[in-house]
Amino acid sequence: MLPGVSDALREAAAVPSYACARDQWPWGCVAECESSGRWHVNTGNGFYGGLQFWHPTWVEHGGLKYARRADLATRQQQVTVAEEVLRTQGWGAWPVCSKRYGLSGRVHTVQTGDTLGSIARRFAVGGGWQALYAANRSLIGPDPNRIVVGTMLRIAPL
């Protein structure tokens, strides 16, 4: 918790006004766009689940530890795999839907033990942790040493 910064204020700064954004931004919106929000859909088009994973992508990013196909996994399991996809492919993995909601670049969801410095080194952020902080200050708050686990930080382009 950041002193002087309420969760509601931080959340309001991070979540856009789309109706779907109230449903676990940005994943509720991406799923609404990709699959009409149907997390267990298998339409036979070679893409599966709420976020319409191509099966090789599901496998490559660890999905098999949850289910043999994305449509057989829970919503949270699909989101967990999607966060891995974002680390490697960025929002381009969902080209139409990411454009619809103004999502771009690669992101990282803060994990226990992360610091801005370690994240900046991992992703080779030009300008280091300071540039990463500047690009995400509205999400992080006034203290760059206090990043909250689960926060989705924008990595690139900065």
Side-chain angles (χ1 to χ4, degrees), residues 116-117 120-121 124-134 158:
L116 290 178
R121 283 189 298 279
V125 174
W129 73 265
Q130 297 92 336
L132 186 60
Y133 176 58
L158 293 177

Side-chain angles (χ1 to χ4, degrees), residues 31-50:
E32 182 64 33
C33 176
E34 290 284 343
S35 67
S36 299
R38 298 175 297 157
W39 289 89
H40 295 291
V41 70
N42 174 0
T43 60
N45 67 355
F47 295 87
Y48 303 93

